[in-house]
């Protein structure tokens, strides 16, 4: 009974999809045909970052320096599955277009190079550079595979390296590791930032089921000052990739600190996910009244996300890895594997008296959205649906506003793929169903159920919904990023049709509806 409304919709969608199968065949004029073969393989993201080839996971070393955004990432240059980790490197001037750079960090005798962060040592506290040419310092985890295979628990340590030539060549510090292992199996992913309160460096480290905070004056010698989280948040898996930063509550002078912790497994919709905590930081200790977990994104494909150090205007810019360890190694791409989320700006809002961490595409993303067709206002009668052709296939953005809270969408093509998502007022939930969305059988876990996102604090009235659709991903931003779902999809052919269903007995109004083309970034 509980799922009756949803099941009825699924049936209706499938009937409509199959009845319409051969009508309007291929009347769509494809305006999104790429001009070159570069980045044109099946499923290749057209406006998301992906490596030219081979395996990628977490974003690392996000830092802005001299007008350039750096993106380092977990990279294995010899295969499309995870292996001995390096740091790949790319740079961007606008956070939209990316330039590939040489691999920055290679494994050495201390181990593989796992996730971490990067800082600009402006005061040359490390002595690696000069005041005139301050070093970029990368802080990362060494993972010694031989140690792990021998059944030891001390195989993860922390190391540092620096670059003085615009980050194209790197020197590892001779005194590595700078933090040895105290006998904790999962002891990794250092996030370092300049601590304004105490005028020194702060490092966050995860240690199994909690986060540790360490301070240093020179990036080489570290002292642990506190820990956080053993009794807070979700603990269905190991804590990974911490981050922490201050944000002003929008429209006020109140400042709160936000902690991000990725966890695998243990996310509400299965496998990997990123939780957040809102609280206070006194330079040494993070405290919060929040006990239960909150999630930055309730889709299945936003993991290990962290934010930029030194971004202009104090902006807090987040990038996540658009995959999930449940099936990351099995997705059906051949030359490369996986992509990053769109870069998103994080802000803190108070909605109905509750602090909400909001994530929403950066302004600069609008630069590659072309004007497309004129915005339309739609009224969908009770129990009816509206069907429209997608003009730009899977390289588009759908955007609209509505006050309705009961609406279902179906993206489909004429080979029978169907991706269903929408809001259900009775349960106050957003539903995402990729079970019939295309290729799903590469791993059982990929499409085993319907994903659900409670919309418990969504304000009443009109909300905006924004949906960038790239070849193998869909990101759904509800109410300017108060609720977000990011998911991979592998349709057998690009979706061609969008249907909007009104399952209620009242007319549904959708205003300012736009489907616009998103330009590819790889020419
Ligand atoms: C997160 C993670 C990190 C680790 C890295 C290894 O996805 O497991 O904890 O440093 O990936 O590639």
């Amino acid at each position: 009974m509980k799922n009756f409304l949803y099941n009825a919709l699924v049936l209706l969608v499938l009937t409509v999809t199959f009845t319409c199968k051969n009508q309007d065949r291929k009347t769509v004029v494809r305006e999104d045909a790429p001009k070159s073969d570069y980045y044109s393989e099946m499923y290749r993201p057209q406006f998301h970052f992906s490596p030219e080839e081979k395996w990628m996971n977490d974003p690392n070393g996000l830092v802005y320096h001299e007008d350039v955004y750096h993106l380092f990432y977990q990279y294995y240059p010899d295969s499309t599955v995870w292996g001995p980790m390096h740091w790949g490197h790319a740079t961007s001037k606008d956070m939209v277009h990316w330039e590939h750079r040489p691999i920055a960090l290679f494994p050495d005798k201390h181990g593989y190079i796992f996730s971490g962060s990067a800082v600009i040592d402006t005061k040359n506290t490390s002595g690696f550079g000069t005041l005139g040419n301050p070093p970029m310092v990368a802080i990362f985890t060494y993972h010694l595979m031989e140690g792990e295979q021998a059944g030891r628990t001390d195989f993860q340590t922390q190391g540092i390296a620096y670059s003085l030539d615009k980050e194209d060549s790197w020197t590892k510090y001779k005194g590595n590791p700078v933090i040895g292992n105290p006998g904790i199996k999962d002891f990794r992913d250092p996030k370092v930032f300049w601590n304004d309160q105490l005028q020194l460096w702060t490092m966050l480290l995860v240690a199994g089921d909690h986060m540790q905070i360490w301070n240093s004056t020179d990036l080489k010698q570290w002292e642990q000052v506190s820990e956080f989280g053993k009794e807070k948040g979700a603990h269905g898996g190991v804590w990974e990739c911490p981050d922490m930063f201050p944000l002003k509550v929008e429209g006020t002078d109140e400042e709160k600190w936000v902690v991000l912790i990725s966890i695998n497994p243990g996310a509400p919709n299965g496998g990997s996910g990123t939780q957040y905590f809102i609280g206070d930081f006194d330079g040494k200790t993070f405290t919060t009244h929040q006990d239960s977990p909150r999630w930055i994104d309730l889709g299945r494909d936003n993991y290990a996300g962290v934010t930029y150090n030194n971004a202009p205007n104090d902006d807090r810019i987040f990038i996540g890895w658009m995959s999930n360890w449940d099936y990351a190694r099995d997705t059906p791409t051949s030359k490369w594997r996986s992509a990053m989320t769109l870069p998103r700006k994080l802000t803190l809002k108070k909605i109905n008296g509750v602090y909400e961490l909001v994530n929403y595409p950066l302004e600069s993303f609008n630069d590659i959205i072309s004007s497309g067709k004129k915005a339309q206002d739609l009224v969908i009668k009770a129990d009816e649906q509206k069907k429209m052709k997608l003009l730009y296939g899977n390289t588009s953005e759908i955007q609209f506003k509505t006050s309705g809270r009961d609406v279902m969408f179906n993206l489909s093509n004429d080979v029978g793929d169907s991706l269903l998502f929408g809001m259900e007022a009775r349960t106050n939930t957003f539903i995402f169903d990729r079970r019939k969305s295309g290729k799903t059988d590469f791993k059982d876990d990929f499409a085993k159920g319907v994903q659900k996102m409670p919309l418990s604090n969504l304000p009443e009235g009109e909300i905006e919904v924004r949906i960038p659709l790239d070849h193998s991903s869909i990101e759904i931003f509800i109410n300017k990023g108060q609720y977000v779902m990011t998911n991979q999809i592998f349709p057998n052919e690009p979706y061609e049709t969008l249907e909007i269903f009104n399952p209620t007995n009242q007319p549904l109004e959708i205003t300012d509806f736009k489907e616009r083309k998103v330009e590819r970034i790889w020419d």
Side-chain angles (χ1 to χ4, degrees):
M1 185 61 204
K2 203 163 169 239
N3 291 323
F4 173 76
L5 179 65
Y6 176 68
N7 289 339
L9 276 171
V10 173
L11 245 182
L12 176 66
V13 166
L14 294 179
T15 320
V16 173
T17 307
F18 290 119
T19 334
C20 301
K21 208 168 159 183
N22 288 319
Q23 296 167 10
D24 320 313
R25 262 186 93 93
K26 309 265 182 254
T27 48
V28 182
V29 181
R30 289 253 166 266
E31 293 183 27
D32 57 347
K35 291 180 200 68
S36 78
D37 286 345
Y38 187 57
Y39 271 67
S40 294
E41 305 88 353
M42 189 169 189
Y43 300 133
R44 179 65 99 165
Q46 297 298 290
F47 56 90
H48 287 82
F49 179 82
S50 63
E52 272 181 322
E53 53 169 21
K54 310 299 181 193
W55 170 271
M56 175 181 81
N57 56 291
D58 314 357
N60 295 151
L62 303 184
V63 64
Y64 178 81
H65 183 44
E66 292 182 348
D67 301 327
V68 172
Y69 292 90
H70 292 266
L71 164 64
F72 300 88
Y73 51 87
Q74 288 286 276
Y75 187 50
Y76 183 36
D78 295 331
S79 169
T80 49
V81 291
W82 190 91
M85 283 290 111
H86 300 53
W87 273 26
H89 186 199
T91 51
S92 175
K93 294 216 155 180
D94 58 4
M95 289 302 263
V96 173
H97 301 89
W98 295 94
E99 194 182 313
H100 295 293
R101 302 280 290 266
I103 292 177
L105 297 172
F106 292 77
D108 61 44
K109 66 174 191 223
H110 298 294
Y112 300 174
I113 313 294
F114 270 23
S115 287
S117 48
V119 295
I120 309 304
D121 185 9
T122 321
K123 298 185 208 285
N124 194 29
T125 61
S126 60
F128 292 147
T130 57
L131 286 176
N133 188 20
M136 180 185 284
V137 181
I139 308 96
F140 50 84
T141 295
Y142 273 124
H143 180 98
L144 190 63
M145 211 36 154
E146 296 88 300
E148 182 181 12
Q149 280 161 353
R152 301 206 318 250
T153 54
D154 60 353
F155 50 85
Q156 292 188 339
T157 57
Q158 319 312 321
I160 60 178
Y162 60 92
S163 176
L164 293 167
D165 65 349
K166 303 267 176 248
E167 299 76 41
D168 276 336
S169 69
W170 288 82
T171 308
K172 305 250 182 56
Y173 173 51
K174 287 199 182 62
N176 278 339
V178 289
I179 299 184
N181 188 300
I184 301 175
K185 196 165 136 285
D186 297 293
F187 187 61
R188 59 177 177 266
D189 305 342
K191 167 74 189 224
V192 175
F193 59 91
W194 180 250
N195 180 329
D196 262 332
Q197 284 145 291
L198 302 182
Q199 293 291 301
L200 42 68
W201 298 104
T202 286
M203 178 196 291
L204 315 169
L205 260 186
V206 280
D209 64 350
H210 68 281
M211 174 177 93
Q212 301 183 344
I213 300 183
W214 296 64
N215 284 345
S216 169
T217 50
D218 62 1
L219 294 165
K220 297 170 182 162
Q221 286 188 307
W222 292 91
E223 182 200 358
Q224 192 190 338
V225 291
S226 68
E227 61 174 45
F228 166 75
K230 280 187 181 143
E231 271 96 45
K232 300 277 187 187
H235 284 279
V238 174
W239 281 26
E240 298 187 318
C241 303
D243 199 355
M244 181 167 79
F245 42 85
L247 282 178
K248 284 251 162 72
V249 180
E250 204 177 72
T252 75
D253 272 338
E254 185 187 5
E255 184 177 87
K256 299 300 281 180
W257 282 75
V258 178
V259 166
L260 301 182
I261 298 282
S262 285
I263 176 172
N264 178 60
N269 283 308
S272 321
T274 301
Q275 52 179 329
Y276 70 85
F277 300 89
I278 295 173
D280 299 291
F281 178 58
D282 65 4
K284 289 188 171 177
T285 309
F286 176 78
T287 46
T288 178
H289 298 299
Q290 179 191 325
D291 291 318
S292 37
R294 308 187 63 188
W295 304 89
I296 196 163
D297 187 319
L298 276 166
R300 294 199 68 196
D301 294 301
N302 180 354
Y303 192 60
V306 283
T307 66
Y308 271 84
N309 278 329
N310 303 5
N313 313 316
D314 277 342
D315 277 354
R316 210 22 85 173
I317 302 174
F318 168 98
I319 295 182
W321 173 45
M322 208 154 46
S323 199
N324 188 312
W325 283 114
D326 273 358
Y327 44 74
R329 301 167 181 87
D330 307 289
T331 51
T333 61
S334 44
K335 189 172 177 190
W336 83 102
R337 200 168 257 130
S338 84
M340 296 300 179
T341 65
L342 282 179
R344 302 171 185 182
K345 184 171 167 178
L346 301 185
T347 49
L348 197 56
K349 291 191 181 168
K350 223 170 186 179
I351 302 179
N352 298 326
V354 179
Y355 297 114
E356 298 271 5
L357 181 64
V358 165
N359 65 111
Y360 194 66
L362 296 182
E363 262 311 297
S364 57
F365 177 52
N366 293 329
D367 296 347
I368 52 165
I369 302 180
S370 56
S371 46
K373 257 173 70 180
K374 240 180 93 220
Q376 305 172 57
D377 292 337
L378 311 170
V379 179
I380 305 170
K381 291 199 199 115
D383 231 352
E384 290 203 347
Q385 78 242 18
K386 171 143 183 77
K387 186 171 177 211
M388 57 188 95
K389 280 280 164 205
L390 282 180
L391 291 177
Y392 307 114
N394 287 9
T395 321
S396 62
E397 182 180 72
I398 296 161
Q399 193 177 349
F400 57 87
K401 295 185 184 130
T402 187
S403 302
R405 291 295 183 269
D406 243 325
V407 53
M408 283 298 292
F409 298 87
N410 178 33
L411 283 168
S412 62
N413 54 29
D414 63 7
V415 295
D417 299 334
S418 152
L419 177 69
L420 287 167
F421 52 90
M423 286 186 276
E424 194 182 67
R426 190 177 51 82
T427 53
N428 204 9
T429 303
F430 193 90
I431 292 163
F432 185 89
D433 182 353
R434 63 181 175 188
R435 288 177 299 174
K436 298 206 160 23
S437 60
K439 286 200 180 67
T440 59
D441 61 359
F442 49 87
K443 189 78 198 281
D444 283 355
D445 274 350
F446 180 72
K448 66 179 171 216
V450 176
Q451 299 175 33
K452 297 192 169 158
M453 172 163 65
L455 301 173
S456 18
N457 195 32
L458 192 62
E460 286 182 5
E462 188 175 76
I463 50 162
E464 182 209 77
V465 178
R466 199 170 167 190
I467 310 177
L469 180 67
D470 206 341
H471 279 264
S472 45
S473 70
I474 177 165
E475 290 159 286
I476 304 174
F477 298 92
I478 298 168
N479 196 22
K480 300 251 176 196
Q482 182 188 0
Y483 292 101
V484 181
M485 273 196 145
T486 301
N487 277 297
Q488 292 185 85
I489 40 164
F490 300 98
N492 290 297
E493 284 190 8
Y495 300 128
E496 296 179 323
T497 307
L498 172 70
E499 287 149 288
I500 311 177
F501 297 89
N502 172 9
T504 70
N505 53 17
Q506 301 291 322
L508 169 73
E509 280 184 36
I510 291 188
T511 55
D512 214 6
F513 179 93
K514 301 174 206 151
E515 186 217 343
R516 294 181 297 175
K517 182 181 177 189
V518 182
E519 305 292 340
R520 87 190 211 112
I521 59 173
W522 295 110
D523 283 322

